[in-house]
Amino acid sequence: MTRIKCTHSYQDVISVENLLEAWKEFIINKRGRKDVQDFSRHLMENIISLYTDLASKNYQHLGYEAFSINDPKPRNIHKASVRDRLLHHAVYRVLYSFFSRTFINDSYSCQKGKGVHRAMKRFKVVSRKVSVNYAKTLWVLKCDIKKFFASIDHKILLKIIDGYVLDKDIVRLIEKIVSSFCSTEAGVGLPLGNLTSQLLVNIYMNEFDQYVKHKLKAKHYIRYADDFVLMSTSKIMLQNYLELIKVFLQEELKLQLHPDKVSIKTLASGVDFLGWVHFPHHRVLRTTTKRRMFRRIIEKDGKRETVQSYLGMLSHGNGYKLQKQIVDLTGDQ
């Protein structure tokens, strides 16, 4: 695959100007946090210190603070120091604009102007098109990658980045960020808490996206993070795709599909994708998502922000009855 090249320089990433712009983005909604306040008290001194370490190639990434959240399922989050997170933002704001141009149109996670709702709208458009306005039986191959972030191979990731980025000092800086963390074994895994991880997993999975589009020549493919679907009126074609996909993911990216989250079903029977079960003319909230929603509303004592968030989410599907149940439960209007 011929790759376009990133011509940004190391200085573009580490410059004081970029670090200051990165700081403006980083502190949004974080001004009240103690570690951020501590760093900001001597902001210019800290930024100059970071720049000096980066310019002299003496920068070292510090460790992580680990904690767990339920969002929506239990996740282990690893939080870097403010200094390191500032650098993550500086790297991201320079490299995102380049790498986003290499991604396919139907990749929707962690990209400006995209997201879950855009992915669901695209699913509806494509499913209608392929089924000829639902006149033909539509088959959907739905897959999920097992332990996605925890399975990213550092060597493979850095080799991919090296193929794009001309300035090798940038590659070495990314290597320091990547190697600052591992999951179950050395050289494997990215932390969920890093902004850079969002970009890096998309760069990693773009290899798969390109394979699906240009080698398999699958026309009807949508991916959001580690969830993806392929659509066809031929079940046999999707079965063939599935076998080839398993081989590519294992051999090229050292990833495996989650055995309990792979299915080939008709759209008429309901396809579970991105928290909703999709049908030809409507979508309904997944049962587990529904239960979790009511549990959280009760846990938060009907807090208005929580209620409004769920009412907004339900507006993206056939959720009128659930919206009414929430209003009756909380008295929210």
Side-chain angles (χ1 to χ4, degrees):
M1 179 174 69
T2 303
R3 303 182 190 275
I4 60 172
K5 300 297 181 180
C6 175
T7 57
H8 288 296
S9 70
Y10 183 63
Q11 187 61 33
D12 292 336
V13 175
I14 71 165
S15 70
V16 172
E17 292 78 9
N18 188 48
L19 292 172
L20 283 168
E21 290 301 314
W23 175 256
K24 292 177 186 177
E25 296 172 5
F26 169 71
I27 61 171
I28 295 173
N29 299 324
K30 298 186 186 74
R31 293 177 185 274
R33 298 178 185 175
K34 186 179 183 305
D35 55 351
V36 176
Q37 291 175 344
D38 290 344
F39 192 90
S40 64
R41 285 193 188 96
H42 305 282
L43 180 61
M44 284 310 301
E45 181 181 330
N46 286 325
I47 285 181
I48 294 299
S49 172
L50 176 57
Y51 169 76
T52 301
D53 283 352
L54 290 164
S56 63
K57 315 289 175 61
N58 289 321
Y59 167 79
Q60 296 297 326
H61 198 290
L62 300 177
Y64 292 84
E65 174 192 347
F67 58 95
S68 297
I69 63 169
N70 289 290
D71 184 31
K73 58 187 178 182
R75 297 180 188 274
N76 295 319
I77 304 298
H78 291 82
K79 178 181 172 184
S81 69
V82 171
R83 189 178 199 252
D84 292 327
R85 282 184 284 155
L86 170 56
L87 175 64
H88 300 166
H89 276 258
V91 170
Y92 183 91
R93 69 186 311 276
V94 171
L95 296 187
Y96 172 82
S97 59
F98 166 76
F99 277 105
S100 62
R101 294 176 10 231
T102 72
F103 300 153
I104 65 170
N105 289 333
D106 282 324
S107 165
Y108 287 90
S109 66
C110 302
Q111 293 184 63
K112 296 170 185 175
K114 292 194 173 183
V116 170
H117 301 313
R118 284 281 298 274
M120 291 198 301
K121 286 180 181 178
R122 180 63 176 161
F123 181 97
K124 185 175 182 180
V125 169
V126 174
S127 63
R128 179 182 290 160
K129 177 183 177 182
V130 179
S131 65
V132 192
N133 207 21
Y134 310 119
K136 296 183 178 181
T137 299
L138 179 68
W139 293 91
V140 181
L141 167 60
K142 161 71 171 65
C143 299
D144 184 298
I145 292 172
K146 185 178 180 181
K147 297 181 180 177
F148 182 42
F149 275 76
S151 301
I152 302 297
D153 185 277
H154 294 180
K155 286 184 179 179
I156 294 173
L157 172 60
L158 292 166
K159 183 179 179 182
I160 294 167
I161 291 169
D162 189 62
Y164 283 105
V165 178
L166 293 175
D167 191 326
K168 301 313 172 189
D169 284 335
I170 295 178
V171 178
R172 282 186 281 272
L173 178 59
I174 295 172
E175 182 177 7
K176 285 190 175 183
I177 296 171
V178 169
S179 63
S180 68
F181 177 87
C182 61
S183 52
T184 56
E185 59 182 285
V188 179
L190 294 178
L192 280 169
N194 283 8
L195 176 64
T196 47
S197 295
Q198 298 177 10
L199 175 60
L200 294 175
V201 294
N202 267 335
I203 294 170
Y204 201 78
M205 284 301 289
N206 185 50
E207 300 294 297
F208 176 64
D209 296 340
Q210 299 296 335
Y211 170 74
V212 170
K213 299 298 288 186
H214 300 296
K215 296 295 184 181
L216 294 185
K217 299 192 182 299
K219 295 180 180 179
H220 311 297
Y221 163 76
I222 299 169
R223 182 178 65 81
Y224 184 92
D226 59 333
D227 287 357
F228 60 90
V229 292
L230 290 93
M231 294 179 244
S232 175
T233 53
S234 169
K235 183 179 181 180
I236 293 174
M237 179 179 289
L238 293 181
Q239 289 171 331
N240 292 336
Y241 282 161
L242 177 57
E243 295 310 309
L244 294 169
I245 283 169
K246 288 178 181 176
V247 172
F248 179 88
L249 288 173
Q250 176 59 44
E251 293 186 354
E252 301 298 326
L253 299 177
K254 294 187 180 179
L255 297 175
Q256 293 182 337
L257 296 179
H258 196 301
D260 300 328
K261 298 182 179 180
V262 174
S263 64
I264 300 178
K265 300 174 66 176
T266 63
L267 183 63
S269 68
V271 174
D272 190 335
F273 184 49
L274 301 179
W276 293 80
V277 181
H278 301 256
F279 296 91
H281 299 288
H282 70 288
R283 65 174 80 103
V284 297
L285 200 63
R286 183 192 295 160
T287 301
T288 53
T289 307
K290 192 189 312 179
R291 289 173 183 157
R292 183 170 56 248
M293 175 181 70
F294 281 109
R295 186 172 64 248
R296 287 199 64 188
I297 288 172
I298 292 169
E299 287 172 354
K300 297 287 185 179
D301 294 323
K303 190 176 180 181
R304 184 171 178 80
E305 291 83 354
T306 303
V307 171
Q308 289 300 316
S309 173
Y310 280 121
L311 291 175
M313 178 187 74
L314 290 170
S315 69
H316 293 279
N318 294 72
Y320 174 75
K321 289 182 180 179
L322 289 174
Q323 287 174 317
K324 188 174 186 306
Q325 287 177 32
I326 291 173
V327 171
D328 290 344
L329 178 66
T330 64
D332 207 297
Q333 301 295 323

